[in-house]
Amino acid sequence: MTEGGGTRVVRTRAELREALASARRPVGLVPTMGWLHDGHRALMRRARSENGTTVATIFVNPRQFNLATDFTRYPRNEARDVAVCEAEGIDLVWAPPVEEVYPPGFDTTVSVGAIARPLEGAARPGHFDGVATVVSILFSLVGADRAYFGQKDAQQVMVIRQMARDLAIGTQVIACPTVREPDGLALSSRNVHLGPDQRVAAAALHRALMAARSAWEDGERSADRLRDIMWETLTAEPLAAPEYVSVADGVTLRELDRVEGPALLSLAVRFGETRLIDNEPLGTGDGTTPRA
Ligand code: PAF
């Protein structure tokens, strides 16, 4: 952003605006809730490779937690997160207090329609309102040309794309492939809460997705059969409590009877108090390309 600048950390909206006033364009944004891992690092690297200035935000957004306990329990370590941003060459970090994002009197909710209703929207009422509201504030404050999100949260990406399109926000929403541990577990800030046995058991999410993918590759087109394959793989793991498995249309996220076009396999599973999600696109390459 500035020659030889290093990473600057700012807290207020005014500081953010001032820091961005002379930023080299294009500006790439990586919105995060902190507790940064290699998945975030991959987003940051992609952002750096495509933009003149990179901005990361670190904000645990209270409005997207449908359970207060989940918000309190969310892992936080700002010093470590800033060190990650420095190591990845991020120019600017916005790490605001709550009142800088939601100033006194704030009274607007961005509520996306049909794409936000099933799956995570049904399981976590209000979650996507919170996500769409905070991301529209971030897009607007940063004025980013591009913003980077992980495909692990596939529905979130679709909700944000819909929001940006509908509100005529010019930020291009870029989805990046899910980063996984060697046993297939998708990287997530929530993985830190897994005990050692739960951590081993959590590989069942990816196993279930891969079992269904393999059946689909062998020609299985019945969505119920694919759901059964995922459910059976998950329930074979005693520590896993599956919440849902889904075989949905890859564009609308409506549950399918038969998989004849682009589709999304997805699931949510509890291990004790920790809830994990994952997904696998079918018939759409790596699933990170926007479909109009
Ligand atoms: O994916 C996340 O970490 C959050 O939902 C996001 C996009 C940063 C909004 O708070």
Side-chain angles (χ1 to χ4, degrees), residues 31-33 61 64 131 134-135 149 153 156:
T32 83
M33 296 206 299
N61 173 32
Q64 72 185 75
V131 170
V134 80
V135 172
F149 299 88
D153 298 305
Q156 168 169 280

Side-chain angles (χ1 to χ4, degrees), residues 109-186:
T109 299
V110 179
S111 189
V112 174
I115 201 74
R117 277 183 213 120
L119 305 173
E120 290 303 284
R124 304 180 63 192
H127 168 65
F128 283 128
D129 284 2
V131 170
T133 302
V134 80
V135 172
S136 57
I137 294 168
L138 298 177
F139 281 9
S140 156
L141 284 173
V142 174
D145 297 285
R146 304 188 181 101
Y148 299 81
F149 299 88
Q151 179 65 19
K152 186 190 76 86
D153 298 305
Q155 188 180 13
Q156 168 169 280
V157 172
M158 295 167 90
V159 167
I160 291 169
R161 280 203 179 116
Q162 178 87 45
M163 176 277 289
R165 195 163 54 229
D166 291 352
L167 300 184
I169 298 175
T171 305
Q172 184 190 353
V173 176
I174 296 173
C176 301
T178 302
V179 178
R180 298 183 180 279
E181 299 281 7
D183 66 356
L185 177 66

Side-chain angles (χ1 to χ4, degrees), residues 166-277:
D166 291 352
L167 300 184
I169 298 175
T171 305
Q172 184 190 353
V173 176
I174 296 173
C176 301
T178 302
V179 178
R180 298 183 180 279
E181 299 281 7
D183 66 356
L185 177 66
L187 296 195
S188 162
S189 305
R190 293 172 193 275
N191 294 352
V192 70
H193 292 309
L194 296 169
D197 294 346
Q198 293 173 329
R199 168 62 194 82
V200 173
L205 275 81
H206 191 241
R207 259 199 321 276
L209 293 167
M210 289 303 100
R213 163 174 272 287
S214 148
W216 175 77
E217 283 171 355
D218 289 345
E220 182 59 75
R221 293 294 177 263
S222 158
D224 268 344
R225 184 64 204 124
L226 298 177
R227 287 183 197 101
D228 286 347
I229 289 169
M230 290 192 281
W231 193 262
E232 283 157 17
T233 310
L234 292 171
T235 50
E237 174 48 68
L239 294 181
E243 204 175 90
Y244 66 74
V245 295
S246 159
V247 181
D249 182 278
V251 176
T252 64
L253 292 185
R254 279 193 215 107
E255 289 302 313
L256 292 170
D257 294 329
R258 294 190 57 75
V259 181
E260 306 293 3
L264 187 74
L265 306 174
S266 60
L267 36 77
V269 186
R270 282 187 188 279
F271 295 86
E273 296 292 293
T274 306
R275 181 176 183 278
L276 302 180
I277 60 171

Side-chain angles (χ1 to χ4, degrees), residues 41-104:
R41 284 181 185 264
L43 303 182
M44 291 177 184
R45 281 185 203 144
R46 171 101 185 255
R48 267 204 80 190
S49 74
E50 295 180 348
N51 297 283
T53 300
T54 46
V55 181
T57 58
I58 301 173
F59 179 62
V60 185
N61 173 32
R63 290 181 179 239
Q64 72 185 75
F65 290 84
N66 53 315
L67 298 174
T69 46
D70 194 24
F71 173 66
T72 319
R73 199 169 174 256
Y74 201 83
R76 294 161 168 90
N77 186 335
E78 189 188 293
R80 181 175 154 280
D81 290 339
V82 169
V84 169
C85 293
E86 277 165 357
E88 293 304 332
I90 292 291
D91 296 302
L92 183 64
V93 171
W94 193 45
V98 174
E99 61 277 14
E100 284 294 325
V101 179
Y102 304 117

